[in-house]
Amino acid sequence: MSDMSTIAHQPIYLKNYRAPHYLIDDINLSVDLFDDFAMVRSSLRVRANKHHETDLILNGEGLELISIHLEGRELTSNEYEVTDQLLIVRHVPANFQLDIVTKIYPKKNTALSGLYYANTSGTYCTQCEAEGFRHITYYLDHPDVLAKFTTTITADKKYPHLLSNGNLTASGELPNNRHFATWEDPFKKPCYLFALVAGDFDLIESQFTTQSNHEVALRIYVEKGLADQATHAMDSLKRAMRWDEGTFGREYDLDIYMIVAIGDFNMGAMENKGLNIFNTKYVLAKPETATDDDYINILSVIGHEYFHNWSGNRVTCRDWFQLSLKEGLTIFRDQSFTEDELSHAVMRIHDVRALRETQFPEDAGPLAHPVRPDAYIEINNFYTATVYNKGAEVLRMLQTILGKTTFRKGMDLYFSRHDGHAVTIEDFVKIMEDVSGLNLAQFRLWYTQAGTPRVEVTDHYDDITETYTLHFTQTCPPTPHQAHKKPMTIPIKMGLLDQSGQAMPLVLHQKMQGLEHTLLLTEEKQEVVFQHVTTKPTPSLLRHFSAPIILHYPYTDEALRFLFQHDLDAFNRWECGQQYSMRQLLQLTQSIEKGNALQMNEGWLAIYADLLMREAKEATVDLFFLSEMLALPSEKYIGEQMQTIAVDNIHAARVFARLEIAKKFADVFYQHYQANHTHTEKYKFDMKLIGQRQFKNSCLAYLMLLPNYAELGMTQFKAALKHNMTDTQVALAGLNQLDSPLREEALRAFYETYRHDALVVDKWLAIQASCYLPNALSQIKALYKHPAFDIKNPNKVYALIGAFGRNPTVFHQKNGEGYLFLADVVRELDQLNPQIAARMVNPLTQWRRYDAARQALMRERLEALLHTSLSSDVFELVSKSLEEK
Ligand code: TRP
Ligand code: ZN
């Protein structure tokens, strides 16, 4: 690696945190938008914070400094210094007014951080988290500097809507066909929560009366002509507002809540105070263009950003190492919300699946970091599954350990004690100690130790003493810079089943504990003895996935099937099915490796028989849940179980198993398909109908593996096109894997129908990028040149390149062509949008998990990348992935 690049990319350390030397109490910002540039005038009220230093150091990048005045006097060039990242003003007093004018070029901003012009939407907008504000003006761009913002926007009237945070206080006409609007945000906030929008929109309006009778105007701004696609988002917002009042007692605090949907956006959405900016993907929905999953995701992301108003905005982070303070907490809140609103079992399954497929690999790889990292080169790289999803799991554990009532008390105290402040994860944990009286010293390790803990469980039943003993052993693998781990606090929610499948009363220390109990592991090795256990039980462990760990208990196949049928905990029923399937899939993979004949295990088929012939026919069946039960573990998750990921064999094993299941149950699948399929039913976002659609489509997906049923898929595709995207997409995804003219026909019809709808074109790209037919890579390369693809649009990149990177056999094809293509794309993208380039490079960083030949090819690409000039975003990931272990 060249010295140059290492020197240019210096890490920031948590241990070096210092309180700011200066504070800004007020900022008066005026942004004048012109066709080719913007003028930004910033008036700051600055004051020394305790220790008075004489130099004021402001952040600023890519700015043209026009003028700078201190207390009204223009500074001469020897009174300040400008570097490519800072503005240093020499010898400033303890309290003063600073006026800075900068010129910026929003239309040249392809990184989509700071103020930029969103081409797809034809609007100006901002993205300031984490460090975008310094691309707008010189400022103390740190989350612990909280100021009151007043913002004036001026622009041509072709941008009729001029929006910013807080309340509109003035607006009017200006000469030259221009106009202005002034917004005042009464709440002090860090600059990462600043937002500004100028554009031409349609909007839908509604209102919400809070529990203390405060009227809030709700507005959702979307591209002209798309107002009919914002109703689900509006409904989701009201559900979130109601839920947060009922569950956490949190009420909204301004008179207006605005959401703007933007077509070019790096992430999902942003919680700017009073003015959320959303990726269109998480706002727009109508039956003919959005799937059930899209509807669910909108509910959860709208909830997420809304919940940030308290967990993030009213109480914010002291520094970016504390990111999980707001993100882990807000994910925890949005997960609880969708579990309550939709389904406890199914949403938990979705969340755990995502955790295992993204966070566990991260924790086991070269980029592993604690929930509270202690160093970073580029903060954008730390918006990770660990900070978000593992962070949420940590809070879920805390709630389990403290109990809901005490946890809620802690939340109330957290919000009242720290309202208006920028605080730390430590402050949060301290409060939970205060309200519970517990010592959480060991629990804090969840924030500082990386790696996924492993818990091995064995047991012993003694029929003479009628005792049942569980032995637990916990370990946590080494991760970068953390060779040795201490034992952690791990809550294991559990129950015992007798031979008839009934829950057994749990007696510990001669005390009755009910039918379900949460054990708290704290030691490396630990034993728990249950008394008055009259027959040998089957343990049901880690119910509802009570801790983010890998738990292993040596179940027999029979025991897994038994729990799969009888466990009271729906999550664990699913989990036992997954474990059973995993065993079989790993065996099939080995058989392929050894060149043995493949055979389906009878017990496995019996599970499917039971689901399809018995459970599916019960009156009380939950079809949404059932469709989850029918799905096999993904190739990704299977690979995670192996030391060296056998890409092709995993794929072949899974294809074989699915085909055998389809053959064996074709008739039943077809009956269920018919019984739950309706051409005429109008789409509704309703749990019962979602369940029916999901279940029916699971049946169809199996059927479409059989040549005789390809036509059935085509029929559903044609009937659903223009009416129901859930049905359309499943049919198209099935056809997409067929080497048949039907594939071409459907893809063409889909594109012709939806070529003008950007979000649906994204689906078209992603589906083709998930194809595993032999010529898939050349098709993906052709799509990269297709007019429908646009490398400057993050959604297009996520759709095509993101899906390609998750397509195991195509990305990892043996000749290394997949690696080469991805590296080329990353290099091109890095010049335009480093944040997105960094997200795309991820699959290459996992190189150590593959066979020697693939390792060599992947490494070669990473090393070649490192010899080019890289953004700090991509540099950090690539260089860390190559570090010696
Ligand atoms: N805070 C946002 C959230 O709700 C995340 C986010 C949006 C973000 N845009 C970003 C993070 C850009 C980094 C860069 O999760
Ligand atoms: Zn968030």
Side-chain angles (χ1 to χ4, degrees), residues 255-308:
D255 301 337
I256 179 169
Y257 193 89
M258 295 176 282
I259 290 176
V260 182
I262 297 286
D264 304 87
F265 198 71
N266 278 349
M267 305 273 282
M270 181 63 213
E271 70 264 25
N272 319 297
K273 183 80 190 187
L275 177 57
N276 289 180
I277 300 184
F278 269 63
N279 189 319
T280 44
K281 178 163 58 178
Y282 297 115
V283 175
L284 302 177
K286 59 178 173 178
E288 58 266 46
T289 58
T291 62
D292 288 335
D293 284 338
D294 294 326
Y295 276 81
I296 293 173
N297 290 338
I298 289 169
L299 180 71
S300 111
V301 179
I302 295 257
H304 181 96
E305 305 312 328
Y306 175 72
F307 303 143
H308 265 315

Side-chain angles (χ1 to χ4, degrees), residues 655-701:
V655 166
F656 169 81
R658 294 189 27 174
L659 185 60
E660 292 300 306
I661 293 167
K663 279 190 211 156
K664 172 95 186 179
F665 298 106
D667 292 346
V668 210
F669 278 133
Y670 187 66
Q671 285 164 21
H672 286 308
Y673 177 78
Q674 290 296 352
N676 290 287
H677 181 63
T678 52
H679 290 286
T680 46
E681 179 109 43
K682 222 172 147 316
Y683 181 94
K684 253 179 72 193
F685 183 66
D686 161 286
M687 286 317 286
K688 187 151 178 286
L689 295 175
I690 292 175
Q692 272 193 328
R693 277 191 294 270
Q694 294 297 317
F695 178 59
K696 159 199 88 180
N697 281 324
S698 300
C699 296
L700 179 68

Side-chain angles (χ1 to χ4, degrees), residues 127 129 267 269 271 304-305 308 326-327 383 388 835:
Q127 171 53 41
E129 186 175 6
M267 305 273 282
E271 70 264 25
H304 181 96
E305 305 312 328
H308 265 315
K326 75 176 177 81
E327 295 304 347
Y383 288 75
Y388 275 64
Q835 255 184 68

Side-chain angles (χ1 to χ4, degrees), residues 103-148:
K103 188 175 177 186
I104 53 176
Y105 299 86
K107 284 192 176 154
K108 293 188 182 155
N109 183 345
T110 58
L112 313 188
S113 165
L115 173 60
Y116 64 93
Y117 184 75
N119 281 301
T120 318
S121 313
T123 56
Y124 290 95
C125 70
T126 54
Q127 171 53 41
C128 294
E129 186 175 6
E131 298 177 336
F133 197 72
R134 62 185 65 182
H135 295 273
I136 299 174
T137 180
Y138 289 103
Y139 196 75
L140 290 171
D141 187 359
H142 305 283
D144 54 354
V145 175
L146 277 63
K148 196 176 155 286

Side-chain angles (χ1 to χ4, degrees), residues 460-679:
H460 175 74
Y461 177 63
D462 188 329
D463 57 357
I464 308 215
T465 56
E466 295 195 328
T467 56
Y468 176 69
T469 309
L470 285 168
H471 307 266
F472 296 89
T473 308
Q474 59 160 304
T475 54
C476 183
T479 49
H481 313 293
Q482 288 187 345
H484 303 287
K485 311 290 168 106
K486 294 184 188 140
M488 321 243 265
T489 312
I490 302 177
I492 309 270
K493 197 180 273 188
M494 51 90 55
L496 299 177
L497 278 72
D498 71 14
Q499 278 134 12
S500 69
Q502 292 297 306
M504 301 169 79
L506 305 174
V507 182
L508 277 172
H509 318 296
Q510 304 301 341
K511 248 177 64 197
M512 180 60 198
Q513 308 284 347
L515 299 176
E516 185 168 81
H517 182 66
T518 301
L519 301 170
L520 214 53
L521 305 187
T522 53
E523 310 296 320
E524 200 182 314
K525 285 185 188 303
Q526 207 164 327
E527 226 178 65
V528 183
V529 185
F530 294 92
Q531 293 111 11
H532 307 295
V533 185
T534 48
T535 62
K536 186 174 182 346
T538 304
S540 162
L541 302 166
L542 203 66
R543 283 182 167 173
H544 214 60
F545 205 66
S546 60
I549 61 167
I550 296 168
L551 181 131
H552 181 257
Y553 172 88
Y555 286 115
T556 61
D557 283 359
E558 293 66 43
L560 281 179
R561 277 209 310 273
F562 173 78
L563 285 171
F564 179 81
Q565 289 188 350
H566 297 292
D567 202 343
L568 292 176
D569 185 74
F571 175 84
N572 260 11
R573 286 195 58 207
W574 173 81
E575 173 65 12
C576 288
Q578 293 292 295
Q579 278 189 35
Y580 197 102
S581 295
M582 183 62 84
R583 278 186 195 178
Q584 302 308 321
L585 287 161
L586 290 172
Q587 274 177 24
L588 288 172
T589 306
Q590 282 194 347
S591 300
I592 295 171
E593 172 86 40
K594 294 184 192 138
N596 294 345
L598 301 187
Q599 226 194 326
M600 287 297 280
N601 160 296
E602 284 304 317
W604 201 9
L605 292 171
I607 283 185
Y608 277 84
D610 188 53
L611 281 178
L612 292 166
M613 329 273 229
R614 184 186 57 78
E615 188 158 354
K617 293 179 177 161
E618 281 172 5
T620 55
V621 65
D622 173 352
L623 291 176
F624 197 11
F625 178 66
L626 201 67
S627 72
E628 298 298 341
M629 298 282 268
L630 286 176
L632 293 181
S634 68
E635 291 178 36
K636 173 89 184 160
Y637 187 44
I638 302 167
E640 280 313 303
Q641 315 306 307
M642 307 173 87
Q643 190 79 321
T644 301
I645 300 172
V647 182
D648 300 305
N649 295 347
I650 292 171
H651 179 75
R654 197 168 179 281
V655 166
F656 169 81
R658 294 189 27 174
L659 185 60
E660 292 300 306
I661 293 167
K663 279 190 211 156
K664 172 95 186 179
F665 298 106
D667 292 346
V668 210
F669 278 133
Y670 187 66
Q671 285 164 21
H672 286 308
Y673 177 78
Q674 290 296 352
N676 290 287
H677 181 63
T678 52
H679 290 286

Side-chain angles (χ1 to χ4, degrees), residues 364-407:
L367 303 168
H369 52 275
V371 170
R372 188 187 64 204
D374 31 39
Y376 60 75
I377 294 177
E378 175 51 64
I379 185 57
N380 286 328
N381 286 331
F382 285 77
Y383 288 75
T384 59
T386 299
V387 167
Y388 275 64
N389 303 67
K390 189 178 180 177
E393 293 299 324
V394 171
L395 292 162
R396 187 183 289 261
M397 285 190 286
L398 207 49
Q399 180 178 253
T400 304
I401 293 169
L402 269 57
K404 278 197 170 164
T405 314
T406 307
F407 184 82

